[in-house]
Amino acid sequence: MSAEPLQVDARGLLCPMPVIRLQDAVAGLAEGACVQLLATDPGVHADIPAWCRVHGHQVEAVTDDHDPDGIIRLRIRVGGSGIAEQ
Amino acid sequence: MRTEPRAVALISGGLDSMLAARVVREQGVHVEGLNFYTGFCVEGHTHAVRRQDRERPKRNNALWVAEQLGIKLHIIDVVEEYKDVVINPRHGYGQFMNPCLDCKGFMVGKAREWMAANDFDFIITGEVIGQRPKSQLKRNMPVVASESGAHDRLLRPLCARLLEPTLPEREGWVDREQLYDWSGRSRKPQMHLAEQFGLEDYAQPAGGCCFLTDPSYSRKLQDLWQARGERRYELDDIMLLKMGRHLRPRPHFKLIVSREDGENRFMHGYRKRFTHLVPTSHGGPLALLDGEAAEDDLELAARLVARFSQGRDADRVRVAVTEREGTPREMEVTPMAAADVPQEWYVG
Ligand code: SF4
């Protein structure tokens, strides 16, 4: 498995832009790769896991500073298939 | 060689497109969803910023639909390209600033590009004849099919039996007999089918799928163009039209005054890009000033902001004014009386 996660910076963007940024980044990655997403819109708490479930990726960790200027970090492991293939 | 036909469905997050995708999936077709982000979408959490909206589930409806259907969903950022649809709609606007017919042609056209690039066979939309004025008239159905370039690869499962057979029907990829012949404004057939499929808790947008069908939003967009002297917008502009009270006391500037905590927090993120005002002697809203303001304009703005603060009845209210990239300075002003704020200053 790759050691260094790919960083995707979606700070200051409103949903669904963070989802779109993650989607574009994941498109070029192989199964098992890791992505670290930085965001500020609390909407990512719902949307990123939903998008990952649909596409078969795993959200491995979430940290949230819980303040208005705080950063939310999500670590995503790229999966092999989404629910469509299951 | 794959044998299973593949369809790409436009998923708005509402019931009709959800049913259309489901109906085709039932027939053994592989379906994936596309959702277009234009910036005007009612979706998303900006809408849930205000406390009164917070009861509603915080979810992206298109993603929720995809999960219910068990299909993949691709969300496409079309913010830049969509500007031309809103600014120069060939077929004009609907009741408000909604360019629905052009919008449909644009979205189906983008879906056609996606279909070609990803080796899919046809496109599904949830259109129902006569469901909405203008854009879903029967005579406009071929307009969308031809202007998008999708032609007979565009299937509308909910009203297909009222239209000429399309390629997927002729090829036998889908069975026309199991499609529908719905027309008119009634929502009953949709609700009935949803029940049959066991679908619950779906979103039911009142007007249309986007803010351009909202009268107040449409007036704010027109005001923005009028004040700028040209029809142009950036994503930030149209996001902020969803937020706060908008007052235009002078042609060359307007104030966006937050109405509560949630909006305050959201607008906080825009402080660096706008001259902004916030009361310091009393509790009160953050206000962003869009446009150019001379010293007397700033004082007027401060008096207006004071009027919306908890010091509205006080003799004097101190307001911190920070010009773009400047340092804050305080102004002490007399709050404007509510009766002195002309109704026509309120935009929207
Ligand atoms: S309501 Fe908005 S998103 Fe829906 S078709 Fe009309 S312009 Fe397009």
Side-chain angles (χ1 to χ4, degrees):
Chain A
M1 302 284 141
S2 58
E4 275 295 296
L6 177 73
Q7 293 273 345
V8 178
D9 188 354
R11 284 176 298 174
L13 299 178
L14 294 166
C15 283
M17 287 309 289
V19 180
I20 295 174
R21 288 287 157 85
L22 174 65
Q23 173 185 276
D24 294 348
V26 165
L29 297 176
E31 182 175 352
C34 191
V35 178
Q36 161 126 307
L37 179 78
L38 306 182
T40 45
D41 183 350
V44 297
H45 283 299
D47 288 5
I48 298 291
W51 183 81
C52 286
R53 283 195 298 274
V54 162
H55 288 268
H57 311 307
Q58 282 84 46
V59 179
E60 293 188 329
V62 182
T63 59
D64 187 341
D65 297 348
H66 289 295
D67 82 75
D69 296 315
I71 295 171
I72 306 162
R73 291 181 177 75
L74 297 106
R75 200 174 67 228
I76 293 106
R77 179 78 61 190
V78 177
S81 71
I83 52 181
E85 271 89 16
Q86 280 170 13
Chain B
M1 273 281 290
R2 65 179 173 82
T3 48
E4 188 190 36
R6 306 209 295 176
V8 55
L10 265 63
I11 298 291
S12 69
L15 180 58
D16 293 7
S17 56
M18 182 184 198
L19 290 174
R22 175 70 192 257
V23 162
V24 171
R25 191 169 147 70
E26 283 289 301
Q27 296 201 21
V29 175
H30 172 91
V31 178
E32 297 192 17
L34 277 189
N35 174 256
F36 295 105
Y37 179 60
T38 64
F40 294 102
C41 310
V42 179
E43 294 307 327
H45 308 280
T46 31
H47 203 57
V49 165
R50 294 188 72 191
R51 201 176 291 128
Q52 65 185 55
D53 297 323
R54 236 172 258 160
E55 306 297 294
R56 303 159 34 132
K58 273 200 177 188
R59 67 183 190 200
N60 176 305
N61 282 321
L63 274 170
W64 180 83
V65 163
E67 248 192 301
Q68 299 302 304
L69 297 180
I71 64 172
K72 289 189 177 181
L73 181 80
H74 311 275
I75 307 179
I76 316 282
D77 168 10
V78 293
V79 170
E80 281 306 313
E81 287 169 89
Y82 194 73
K83 286 179 179 172
D84 191 48
V85 177
V86 180
I87 294 171
N88 305 304
R90 254 188 291 173
H91 300 284
Y93 300 100
Q95 194 180 359
F96 303 104
M97 291 300 281
N98 48 316
C100 292
L101 192 47
D102 289 78
C103 173
K104 293 228 165 75
F106 170 82
M107 287 185 181
V108 175
K110 296 303 286 179
R112 184 189 59 78
E113 288 171 20
W114 193 95
M115 171 180 78
N118 293 278
D119 192 24
F120 275 55
D121 302 300
F122 64 101
I123 301 164
I124 305 167
T125 67
E127 287 159 289
V128 170
I129 290 174
Q131 178 92 180
R132 297 201 189 287
K134 190 164 173 173
S135 69
Q136 297 195 7
L137 288 179
K138 188 165 183 184
R139 66 178 150 81
N140 285 331
M141 296 276 161
V143 174
V144 173
S146 69
E147 288 188 1
S148 64
H151 302 290
D152 63 355
R153 285 182 187 262
L154 173 57
L155 178 71
R156 287 112 161 178
L158 305 186
C159 60
R161 275 164 49 196
L162 297 174
L163 301 167
E164 287 295 304
T166 58
L167 183 74
E169 293 158 278
R170 294 198 309 270
E171 291 290 324
W173 298 335
V174 296
D175 176 6
R176 181 174 168 90
E177 292 309 307
Q178 292 182 53
L179 304 176
Y180 294 87
D181 58 355
W182 297 346
S183 69
R185 299 183 70 94
S186 164
R187 305 286 300 155
K188 284 216 184 84
Q190 281 93 323
M191 283 150 80
H192 182 68
L193 187 61
E195 208 181 296
Q196 275 184 357
F197 283 141
L199 302 171
E200 288 169 7
D201 197 25
Y202 43 82
Q204 307 220 52
C209 18
C210 83
F211 266 102
L212 293 168
T213 56
D214 180 274
S216 161
Y217 188 91
S218 294
R219 281 193 290 273
K220 284 185 248 177
L221 181 60
Q222 281 170 309
D223 165 78
L224 183 88
W225 285 346
Q226 198 175 7
R228 295 210 170 140
E230 57 178 333
R231 297 155 70 88
R232 176 177 66 74
Y233 66 82
E234 297 305 327
L235 182 59
D236 284 344
D237 295 325
I238 60 173
M239 296 307 279
L240 284 169
L241 295 186
K242 299 176 186 174
M243 209 62 52
R245 279 187 192 87
H246 291 235
L247 292 103
R248 184 175 294 285
R250 298 285 179 265
H252 50 277
F253 80 90
K254 77 168 170 183
L255 277 181
I256 307 169
V257 185
S258 80
R259 287 170 294 193
E260 47 90 280
D261 276 5
E263 289 189 343
N264 230 39
R265 222 169 306 125
F266 176 83
M267 284 164 52
H268 225 69
Y270 287 90
R271 275 168 316 163
K272 294 205 175 73
R273 276 173 274 174
F274 290 86
T275 294
H276 57 275
L277 302 92
V278 65
T280 51
S281 57
H282 298 77
L286 169 66
L288 304 176
L289 188 151
D290 183 22
E292 297 308 322
E295 193 58 25
D296 55 336
D297 294 326
L298 287 177
E299 190 185 326
L300 175 62
R303 292 188 60 209
L304 268 168
V305 172
R307 179 253 169 279
F308 291 107
S309 78
Q310 282 162 13
R312 61 178 69 90
D313 299 320
D315 290 337
R316 307 290 280 170
V317 170
R318 284 195 305 280
V319 178
V321 180
T322 313
E323 292 184 62
R324 250 179 313 228
E325 315 199 0
T327 43
R329 62 187 166 106
E330 278 204 336
M331 278 185 164
E332 200 178 285
V333 295
T334 308
M336 209 157 194
D340 291 342
V341 182
Q343 204 48 43
E344 52 281 13
W345 286 8
Y346 288 91
V347 187

